[in-house]
């Protein structure tokens, strides 16, 4: 099946308009092309990019509301899950944040090509970015960046009270979730839902941990990354 057909089938299965498949194809081809000369993703076949990057990202639309939300994707890498979400939900106001310059440069070129001038692509570490953007987002989302006790300190300070932190994890994350209980509580969060789903057009199970922000994060957090890593809450 072609890249576009696979994306169309997956988007339709999610109850989304398949029209976004065309822009996703352009983005996927830019990713695979650029990946030949710089390391952007370990996923290198068109069907795998369609399923494991695009459809996994879009699957979140069945589990969370992104309409008119301010969303930050922390450690977005080559743009996942944030950019596919923006393609299927144009009202979403998106910031793509990553520590690596080459990845952010790639994202800027994708946003230029797809004519998405409103997407903010920023190169900075999340714990530093929080100094000027604390509690400013409705939703923080993150996939494949760090274990949950560390990830929570990178992500939860950016979420406004009443907003949500969405952590995309494997289904084997029970230990991580238990280990993060103290971190989530200390940083002002509460686990609202642990939602299992299957990536469309696959049999691959995935898990979304939905953490609501119920109190402001104390000013002492986030700490410098060395401290977060050495001594997770
Ligand atoms: N989220 C993408 C995905 O699922 O395909 C990329 C995952 S990649 C394995 C992890 C990314 O997180 C890298 O691009 C890295 O630069 C970024 N990263 C790690 N720690 C970070 C931090 N503290 N602040 C911002 N970005 C970070």
């Amino acid at each position: 099946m072609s890249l576009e057909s696979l994306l169309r089938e997956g988007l339709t299965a999610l109850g989304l308009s398949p029209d976004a498949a065309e822009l996703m194809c352009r983005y996927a081809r830019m990713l695979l092309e650029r990946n030949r000369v710089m390391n952007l993703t370990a996923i290198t076949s068109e069907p795998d990019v369609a399923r494991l990057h695009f459809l996994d990202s879009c699957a979140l639309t069945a589990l969370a509301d992104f309409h008119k939300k301010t969303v930050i994707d922390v450690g977005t890498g080559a743009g996942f899950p944030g950019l596919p979400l923006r393609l299927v939900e144009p009202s979403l106001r998106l910031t793509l944040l990553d520590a690596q310059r080459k990845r952010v440069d790639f994202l800027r070129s994708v946003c230029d090509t797809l004519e998405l001038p409103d997407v903010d692509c920023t190169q900075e570490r999340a714990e530093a970015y929080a100094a000027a953007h604390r509690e400013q987002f409705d939703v923080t989302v993150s996939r494949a960046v760090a274990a949950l006790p560390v990830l929570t300190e990178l992500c939860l300070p950016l979420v406004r009270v009443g907003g949500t932190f969405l952590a995309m994890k494997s289904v084997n994350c029970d230990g991580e979730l238990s280990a993060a209980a103290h971190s989530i509580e200390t940083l002002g969060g509460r686990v609202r839902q642990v939602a299992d789903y299957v990536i469309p057009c696959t049999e691959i199970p995935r898990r979304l941990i939905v953490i609501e922000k119920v109190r402001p994060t104390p000013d002492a957090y986030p700490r410098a990354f060395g401290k977060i890593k050495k001594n997770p809450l």
Side-chain angles (χ1 to χ4, degrees):
M1 197 186 285
S2 76
L3 175 62
E4 186 162 349
S5 312
L6 194 47
L7 287 167
R8 284 183 167 274
E9 185 180 315
L11 292 172
T12 304
L14 286 166
L16 298 167
S17 163
D19 294 349
E22 197 186 323
L23 287 181
M24 287 184 188
C25 277
R26 289 170 71 188
Y27 173 15
R29 294 201 168 109
M30 284 181 79
L31 172 64
L32 291 171
E33 176 80 26
R34 197 69 66 87
N35 204 44
R36 291 200 195 120
V37 289
M38 75 171 59
N39 175 24
L40 288 168
T41 177
I43 296 169
T44 53
S45 80
E46 286 193 353
D48 282 350
V49 166
R51 296 184 186 106
L52 304 179
H53 278 326
F54 286 89
L55 297 179
D56 187 27
S57 300
C58 291
L60 298 202
T61 57
L63 304 167
D65 177 19
F66 295 100
H67 187 65
K68 292 191 175 170
K69 297 285 194 281
T70 49
V71 177
I72 182 164
D73 180 1
V74 169
T76 187
F80 305 101
L83 206 38
L85 287 169
R86 168 63 182 74
L87 293 176
V88 293
E89 179 49 81
S91 73
L92 179 164
R93 281 165 288 150
L94 179 64
T95 298
L96 297 171
L97 184 73
D98 201 277
Q100 285 191 36
R101 161 72 56 198
K102 67 175 184 180
R103 296 190 164 167
V104 174
D105 287 345
F106 167 72
L107 292 169
R108 290 194 178 119
S109 66
V110 172
C111 290
D112 281 350
T113 303
L114 303 188
E115 297 181 32
L116 301 170
D118 58 307
V119 175
D120 176 9
C121 303
T122 293
Q123 187 231 333
E124 197 164 4
R125 295 196 62 90
E127 62 278 15
Y129 186 80
H133 299 87
R134 203 175 178 81
E135 306 196 326
Q136 287 191 359
F137 294 88
D138 297 318
V139 178
T140 301
V141 65
S142 191
R143 184 183 80 161
V145 173
L148 202 53
V150 169
L151 190 65
T152 302
E153 191 164 344
L154 300 180
C155 291
L156 211 46
L158 297 167
V159 182
R160 69 168 174 80
V161 173
T164 47
F165 162 37
L166 304 174
M168 296 174 75
K169 289 286 170 187
S170 80
V171 286
N172 306 317
C173 71
D174 288 344
E176 242 184 85
L177 185 54
S178 309
H182 180 62
S183 166
I184 294 168
E185 157 75 21
T186 304
L187 298 166
R190 182 166 62 203
V191 177
R192 187 171 70 210
Q193 192 187 0
V194 176
D196 287 352
Y197 64 95
V198 175
I199 300 176
C201 305
T202 77
E203 292 179 357
I204 301 169
R206 300 275 303 160
R207 181 166 290 174
L208 184 71
I209 300 178
V210 181
I211 296 169
E212 58 189 334
K213 180 89 169 249
V214 291
R215 284 184 315 279
T217 298
D219 289 344
Y221 307 106
R223 299 164 292 165
F225 190 68
K227 286 190 179 160
I228 300 175
K229 202 166 172 215
K230 192 169 167 207
N231 225 343
L233 283 169

